[in-house]
């Protein structure tokens, strides 16, 4: 459970108060995303396929109605007497059956197939699809439980009601789902509330491309019953061609089952109709083969972590912790989110991990904000779990502890993305770091296409042993190679497993084509471990002015005593060692512009968390400005620190402010004629060889420039999208018709008719690059 201080229960939607708050992680986590993240950051897009309810693959089709019919055809094979069948995904094996004539089932299953994974069966996706379609077409909300297991072959035929069936056959078919005459009439009325009959597929029923069952084919309402009772119906299964060939099944069932009693009650009371449909659709998706263990109904998490990742850094003394946490914001907006973490020894860390907004998402009933973080932790203390402390805009606070035990972070086996790679021949190399003696193995999941017409892939799993490599800090590195066919449409998902724990669900996207090695030792970490409190604090940068030097850059000579005249009074041998041999008698360049291809920007403050430049880092005992520039050619900025450290990035963290140039006074480890920052001080350069992508040119739009996000509201308040392969062109077409669109954070796209006044131009110069989230905004010309 979670604790929410000062917030009264009345603010929590009433159905949430009866559902248990889930504990993370759960096998239903993917389903939860599909149900609740409709648009925006990390959205899954399942609901988009049926939103609005009238959406269809062409103008005479309604996808929501096709999904509902397909779900029904899958579920109706269930038999409460034998316990067999039900919603089991067997429809994927029955697409050639005459019972599924037309394109509705093929296209529905094809739309669902991409959502199927090792965690989520097709039948669970169908349950989530039933939730999103009913929610899109009405206020009816079915509860979705996870855990269905898919059939591996077609089910028996003869279960699907056909329009030409006698009412007695319908009765038997619905009785197998546990429904009496009233349930049968209600189910048919609910099912035929949206969509219609295609003349192309059923020429014996209608000549129209699409003959709707009622006049509101894209609203799941009782209009079908109202029109039937009032005698104004155009339902092709009541009137028209079907009356002459006994395919008028709606008329025969409504009229003969109970002399119109049920259909009249539905016509008289929209709420009765909604309640009946909710209950029957629930029956439909919960009809599962005997023995299936379904989860509790899925409710949205108040707080849900995403992409948590530990990465051992060069030298093995620090470990980077990155990820996002999603907070439900339905009840109110948020002013601050922090992670209060417990280290691997069980002690609660003094300083919480700060976060910043990465994006927002919305579902039918909820809104969410995502907060991202990246922090470097000392490897010895590391992390074992965290709680999430949320401050809402109305100043109320809540701490979410994941039902008591916190959100767990396993540091005994970690996947090392920077050392892993995927080469052009399709050879995947995966490197893992393991903290104890357990030997890990690599597990790879690949989606394998099945024979036509089944569009749902099967999941193949392979296990590969991992070979020991070097030791880095307290970790042992392991590596494994795996070749997979280059042509594979579905890239593998993989994980490293050791004993009872794993770091899994990794993707190959973004992996380099050749692997980097992890440096086993790092000079600055030797300094840190070898020594005194002063050096320690310079690394954790808790103090902003650890070394108050008296040297100035205008002096042509800097002595070692200048460099280490520490304000605390404690000097450190290792700093002496760094400085004295190289700089005591050497002339340093007052204007450190060693190469025509770089431009010195000044001396900047750097913290460990977050780093001033956080994209990449390296260190070496022969560091020079040129070497760092060469390591950072992919980035706009690079900076040198502490004689031997090199950092790259396209943005400078907002906490990194300019400091007196004299603070950057340490000679570079590779040349005594250049300066390489200082403790918590970065000599910052722009890389003139970095070619910034040009301003986007889109026909019909003017590029407005780089704009800030407002602090309380987004710059562009309309629809939003997020895609791994986002381009300006993609965003332009997603936002088609709106006056403005903008791109942010690499993968996010926002649309709106107006640009909020809280957003201001944020030119691409250094100081405005302090903004972490520049927005490229384009306006319709
Ligand atoms: C939450 O924790 C309690 C006590 O440990 C446990 O009984 C309950 O099952 C947990 N709830 C969930 C949803 O896991
Ligand atoms: C759903 O409920 C809202 C609020 O009560 C109402 O405005 C809307 O018309 C309802 N939609 C449907 C499809 O019934
Ligand atoms: C729409 O799709 C249906 C079913 O696939 C097909 O029969 C019909 O010809 C299509 N209509 C148009 C206008 O494309
Ligand atoms: C049921 O209602 C329909 C439509 O109003 C009507 O045509 C039919 O005769 C009624 N059937 C019975 C058995 O009352
Ligand atoms: C090593 O780590 C694995 C995974 O956490 C665990 O299962 C195992 O018990 C640990 N072994 C030792 C000796 O600590
Ligand atoms: C600057 O870059 C150019 C083009 O890559 C290169 O030819 C030249 O050697 C570089 N100059 C310096 C001083 O590194």
């Amino acid at each position: 459970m979670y604790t929410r201080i000062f917030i009264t229960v009345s603010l929590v939607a009433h159905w949430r108060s009866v559902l248990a708050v889930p504990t993370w992680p759960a096998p239903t986590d993917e389903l939860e995303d599909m149900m609740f993240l409709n648009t925006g950051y990390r959205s899954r897009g399942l609901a988009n396929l049926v939103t609005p309810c009238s959406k269809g693959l062409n103008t005479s089709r309604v996808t929501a109605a096709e999904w509902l019919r397909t779900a029904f055809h899958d579920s109706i094979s269930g038999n409460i007497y034998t316990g067999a069948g039900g919603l089991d995904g067997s429809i994927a094996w029955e697409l050639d059956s005459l019972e599924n004539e037309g394109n509705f089932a093929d296209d529905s299953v094809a739309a669902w197939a991409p959502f199927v994974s090792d965690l989520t069966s097709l039948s669970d996706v169908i349950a989530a699809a039933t939730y999103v379609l009913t929610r899109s077409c009405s206020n009816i909300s079915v509860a979705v439980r996870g855990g269905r297991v898919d059939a591996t072959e077609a089910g028996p035929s003869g279960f699907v009601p056909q329009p030409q069936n006698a009412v007695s056959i319908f009765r038997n078919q619905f009785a197998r789902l546990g429904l009496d005459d009233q349930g049968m009439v209600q189910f048919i009325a609910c099912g035929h509330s949206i969509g219609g009959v295609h003349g192309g597929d059923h020429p014996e029923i209608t000549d129209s491309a699409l003959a709707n069952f009622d006049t509101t084919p894209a609203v799941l309402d009782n209009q079908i019953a109202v029109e039937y009772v009032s005698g104004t119906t155009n339902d092709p299964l009541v009137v028209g061609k079907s009356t002459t060939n006994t395919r008028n099944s709606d008329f025969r069932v409504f009229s003969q089952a109970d002399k119109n009693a049920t259909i009249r009650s539905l016509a008289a009371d929209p709420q009765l109709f909604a309640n009946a449909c909710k209950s029957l659709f629930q029956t439909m998706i919960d009809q599962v083969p005997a023995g299936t263990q379904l989860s509790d109904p899925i409710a949205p998490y108040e707080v849900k972590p995403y992409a948590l990742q530990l990465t051992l850094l060069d030298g093995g003394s620090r470990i980077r912790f990155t990820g996002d946490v999603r907070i439900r914001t339905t009840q109110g907006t948020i002013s601050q989110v922090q992670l209060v973490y417990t280290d691997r020894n069980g002690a609660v860390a003094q300083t919480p991990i700060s976060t910043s907004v990465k994006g927002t998402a919305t579902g039918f009933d909820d809104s969410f904000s995502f907060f991202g973080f990246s922090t470097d932790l000392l490897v010895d203390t590391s992390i074992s779990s965290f709680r999430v402390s949320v401050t809402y805009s109305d100043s109320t606070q809540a701490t979410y502890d994941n039902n008591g035990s916190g959100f767990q972070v396993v540091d005994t086996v970690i996947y090392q993305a920077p050392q892993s790679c995927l080469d052009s021949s399709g050879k995947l190399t995966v490197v893992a770091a393991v903290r104890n003696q357990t030997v890990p193995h690599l597990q790879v999941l690949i989606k394998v296409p099945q024979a036509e017409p089944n569009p749902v892939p099967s999941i193949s799993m392979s296990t590969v042993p991992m070979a020991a490599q070097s030791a880095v800090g307290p970790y042992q590195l392991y590596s494994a190679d795996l070749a997979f066919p280059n042509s594979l449409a579905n890239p593998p998902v993989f994980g490293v497993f050791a004993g009872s724990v794993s770091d899994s669900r990794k993707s190959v996207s973004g992996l380099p084509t050749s692997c980097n090695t992890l440096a086993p030792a790092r000079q600055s970490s030797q300094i840190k471990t070898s020594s005194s409190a002063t050096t320690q604090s310079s690394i954790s940068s808790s103090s902003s002015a650890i070394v108050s030097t008296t040297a100035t850059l205008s002096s042509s000579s800097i002595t070692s005593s200048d460099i280490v005249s520490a304000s605390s009074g404690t000097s450190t041998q290792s700093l002496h060692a760094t400085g004295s041999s190289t700089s005591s008698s050497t002339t340093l360049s007052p204007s450190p512009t060693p190469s025509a291809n770089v431009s010195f920007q000044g001396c900047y403050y750097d913290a460990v968390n977050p780093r001033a430049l956080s994209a990449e880092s390296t260190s070496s005992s022969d560091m020079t400005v040129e070497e760092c520039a060469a390591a950072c050619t992919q980035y706009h900025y690079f900076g040198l620190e502490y004689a031997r450290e090199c950092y790259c990035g396209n943005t400078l963290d907002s906490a990194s402010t300019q400091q007196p140039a004299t603070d950057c006074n340490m000679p570079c480890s590779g040349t005594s004629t250049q300066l390489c920052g200082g403790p918590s001080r970065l000599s910052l350069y722009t890389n003139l060889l970095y070619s910034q992508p040009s301003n986007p040119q889109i026909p019909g739009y003017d590029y407005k420039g780089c704009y800030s996000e407002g602090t309380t509201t987004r710059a562009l308040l309309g629809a939003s999208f997020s895609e791994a392969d986002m381009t300006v062109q993609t965003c332009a077409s997603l936002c088609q018709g709106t006056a403005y669109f903008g791109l942010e954070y690499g993968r996010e796209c926002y649309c709106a008719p107006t640009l909020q006044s809280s957003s201001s131009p944020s030119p691409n110069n250094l100081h405005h690059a302090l903004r972490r989230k520049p927005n490229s905004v384009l306006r319709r010309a």
Side-chain angles (χ1 to χ4, degrees):
M1 296 301 146
Y2 59 97
T3 47
R4 175 99 204 237
I5 306 156
F6 307 133
I7 297 283
T8 57
V9 171
S10 62
L11 288 174
V12 180
H14 81 97
W15 64 279
R16 302 268 154 74
S17 58
V18 297
L19 294 178
V21 172
T23 302
W24 179 90
T28 49
D29 284 346
E30 279 191 350
L31 275 175
E32 197 253 17
D33 284 351
M34 290 175 213
M35 292 172 66
F36 304 122
L37 299 183
N38 295 3
T39 60
Y41 185 65
R42 291 191 182 278
S43 68
R44 293 299 300 262
L46 180 66
N48 285 353
L49 302 171
V50 286
T51 309
C53 178
S54 57
K55 192 179 259 188
L57 292 178
N58 71 29
T59 50
S60 56
R61 299 178 66 175
V62 177
T63 300
E66 296 179 8
W67 283 15
L68 181 57
R69 189 165 170 218
T70 307
F72 175 66
H73 282 211
D74 192 30
S75 177
I76 191 66
S77 66
N79 188 332
I80 59 162
Y81 304 113
T82 64
L87 192 65
D88 61 1
S90 61
I91 189 81
W93 304 97
E94 298 160 359
L95 297 173
D96 279 340
S97 158
L98 284 179
E99 293 180 345
N100 299 317
E101 212 174 350
N103 297 327
F104 74 97
D106 304 78
D107 290 337
S108 298
V109 178
W112 296 330
F115 295 91
V116 175
S117 74
D118 58 310
L119 285 186
T120 311
S121 61
L122 174 65
S123 36
D124 278 351
V125 174
I126 298 175
T130 304
Y131 166 81
V132 298
L133 85 87
T134 53
R135 212 40 214 79
S136 172
C137 300
S138 68
N139 287 326
I140 294 167
S141 177
V142 294
V144 177
R145 300 160 184 274
R148 291 168 195 77
V149 178
D150 286 342
T152 52
E153 59 185 12
S157 58
F159 284 70
V160 177
Q162 301 293 320
Q164 61 275 25
N165 288 167
V167 171
S168 58
I169 294 179
F170 276 95
R171 273 202 177 106
N172 291 339
Q173 287 167 327
F174 281 91
R176 285 195 286 250
L177 270 188
L179 301 180
D180 60 9
D181 280 357
Q182 184 191 49
M184 172 174 70
V185 171
Q186 289 177 338
F187 204 130
I188 292 172
C190 292
H192 290 174
S193 173
I194 52 177
V197 178
H198 290 110
D201 300 330
H202 299 281
E204 69 287 4
I205 296 173
T206 179
D207 295 328
S208 306
L210 176 67
N212 291 325
F213 295 118
D214 69 15
T215 54
T216 56
V219 187
L220 214 171
D221 62 0
N222 71 341
Q223 196 64 18
I224 180 167
V226 169
E227 291 169 9
Y228 173 84
V229 169
S230 69
T232 58
T233 187
N234 286 317
D235 179 348
L237 296 177
V238 176
V239 294
K241 274 180 108 173
S242 62
T243 55
T244 57
N245 55 24
T246 71
R247 282 180 164 78
N248 55 347
S249 54
D250 281 2
F251 173 78
R252 284 183 294 113
V253 174
F254 296 164
S255 171
Q256 291 172 23
D258 59 6
K259 298 193 171 58
N260 292 329
T262 300
I263 197 75
R264 276 203 201 99
S265 67
L266 294 175
D269 186 350
Q271 196 55 50
L272 172 77
F273 178 89
N275 293 346
C277 299
K278 180 180 162 86
S279 156
L280 291 162
F281 295 157
Q282 194 71 60
T283 300
M284 175 180 83
I285 62 174
D286 287 348
Q287 178 66 45
V288 291
T292 308
Q293 294 284 316
L294 293 182
S295 72
D296 284 340
I298 298 168
Y301 286 99
E302 292 297 322
V303 169
K304 185 180 188 184
Y306 287 79
L308 297 186
Q309 185 67 59
L310 291 173
T311 306
L312 185 63
L313 300 180
D314 269 337
S317 65
R318 283 183 281 180
I319 195 163
R320 182 160 294 165
F321 180 41
T322 53
D324 290 352
V325 288
R326 187 195 82 189
I327 321 280
R328 194 167 74 98
T329 52
T330 315
Q331 301 160 25
T333 54
I334 286 170
S335 60
Q336 191 186 45
V337 173
Q338 292 186 317
L339 310 190
V340 177
Y341 71 99
T342 301
D343 72 18
R344 72 187 329 270
N345 307 318
V348 177
Q350 298 279 308
T351 314
I353 298 168
S354 59
T355 68
S356 59
V357 178
K358 275 183 98 173
T360 59
T362 53
F364 290 112
D365 301 300
D366 288 296
S367 56
F368 304 93
S369 289
F370 290 80
F371 294 81
F373 58 90
S374 173
T375 188
D376 292 356
L377 307 168
L378 291 173
V379 80
D380 294 339
T381 42
S382 182
I383 182 171
S384 60
S385 71
F386 62 88
R387 279 147 218 268
V388 179
S389 166
V390 178
T391 309
Y392 291 86
S393 300
D394 62 1
S395 299
T396 57
Q397 279 194 318
T399 297
Y400 296 96
D401 64 5
N402 197 29
N403 196 20
S405 53
F407 298 93
Q408 304 301 307
V409 183
V410 170
D411 74 349
T412 45
V413 52
I414 60 183
Y415 162 59
Q416 287 288 111
Q419 283 72 48
S420 302
C421 55
L422 175 64
D423 77 13
S424 53
S425 74
K427 187 181 85 172
L428 173 67
T429 300
V430 174
V431 173
V434 177
R435 196 155 182 143
N436 69 12
Q437 302 304 312
T438 313
V439 177
H441 65 268
L442 170 67
Q443 193 186 78
V444 185
L445 302 175
I446 291 174
K447 291 185 176 180
V448 182
Q450 312 221 57
E452 300 238 332
N454 184 350
V456 182
S458 68
I459 313 276
S460 123
M461 189 190 86
S462 27
T463 296
V464 185
M466 299 189 84
Q469 296 184 311
S470 55
V472 176
Y475 283 88
Q476 174 70 43
L477 296 187
Y478 289 86
S479 169
D481 292 342
L482 179 84
F484 65 91
N486 226 352
S487 60
L488 218 61
N490 288 302
V493 169
F494 56 91
V496 286
F497 290 72
S500 58
V501 298
S502 64
D503 190 11
S504 62
R505 317 206 63 73
K506 308 303 171 191
S507 98
V508 297
S509 88
L511 279 182
T513 50
S514 63
C515 294
N516 297 308
T517 54
L518 186 66
R522 162 191 169 110
Q523 288 296 318
S524 58
S525 65
Q526 287 173 2
I527 291 170
K528 185 190 64 200
T529 48
S530 69
S531 69
S532 66
T534 302
T535 327
Q536 192 76 22
S537 62
S538 72
I539 284 175
S540 68
S541 71
S542 54
S543 158
S544 61
I546 293 139
V547 176
S548 81
T549 175
T550 54
T552 60
L553 281 173
S554 57
S555 77
S556 60
S557 168
I558 293 177
T559 66
S560 60
S561 62
D562 291 325
I563 292 168
V564 293
S565 104
S567 57
S568 66
T570 45
S571 84
T572 72
Q573 292 171 346
S574 42
L575 278 176
H576 266 296
T578 307
S580 62
S581 62
T582 51
S583 67
S584 59
S585 60
T586 314
T587 300
L588 292 173
S589 165
S591 171
T593 303
S595 154
N597 294 327
V598 305
S599 165
F600 182 63
Q601 299 296 328
C603 183
Y604 278 74
Y605 174 69
D606 188 21
V608 170
N609 172 25
R611 279 274 169 212
L613 297 174
S614 54
E616 281 191 40
S617 65
T618 179
S619 72
S620 122
S621 56
D622 49 12
M623 183 59 67
T624 62
V625 175
E626 289 82 1
E627 181 176 333
C628 186
C632 297
T633 51
Q634 304 302 309
Y635 300 93
H636 191 194
Y637 298 111
F638 68 94
L640 299 107
E641 183 169 335
Y642 217 80
R644 61 195 71 236
E645 300 175 4
C646 166
Y647 297 89
C648 327
N650 281 328
T651 56
L652 189 65
D653 186 77
S654 57
S656 178
T657 50
Q658 190 158 14
Q659 305 294 320
T662 49
D663 280 13
C664 286
N665 55 19
M666 290 179 77
C668 298
S669 58
T671 170
S672 56
T673 63
Q674 294 173 353
L675 292 170
C676 280
S680 305
R681 292 295 183 277
L682 192 70
S683 295
L684 183 71
Y685 292 82
T686 50
N687 194 341
L688 304 179
L689 295 180
Y690 168 72
S691 64
Q692 211 177 3
S694 57
N695 287 346
Q697 300 280 325
I698 294 289
Y701 283 89
D702 292 331
Y703 178 61
K704 297 281 291 176
C706 181
Y707 275 68
S708 67
E709 285 284 31
T711 47
T712 54
T713 179
R714 283 213 169 270
L716 298 174
L717 285 174
S720 62
F721 307 88
S722 177
E723 288 181 10
D725 51 357
M726 183 64 72
T727 64
V728 178
Q729 284 75 12
T730 308
C731 185
S733 59
L734 289 168
C735 293
Q736 211 166 26
T738 68
Y740 289 88
F741 73 90
L743 296 103
E744 182 170 330
Y745 222 80
R747 51 181 297 155
E748 299 171 12
C749 165
Y750 297 87
C751 327
T754 55
L755 180 63
Q756 295 299 301
S757 57
S758 52
S759 170
S760 53
S762 176
N764 254 343
N765 67 30
L766 177 65
H767 289 283
H768 289 278
L770 299 181
R771 297 185 185 285
R772 304 204 68 169
K773 297 167 166 263
N775 233 339
S776 294
V777 172
L778 287 89
R779 181 171 190 272
R780 222 178 196 3

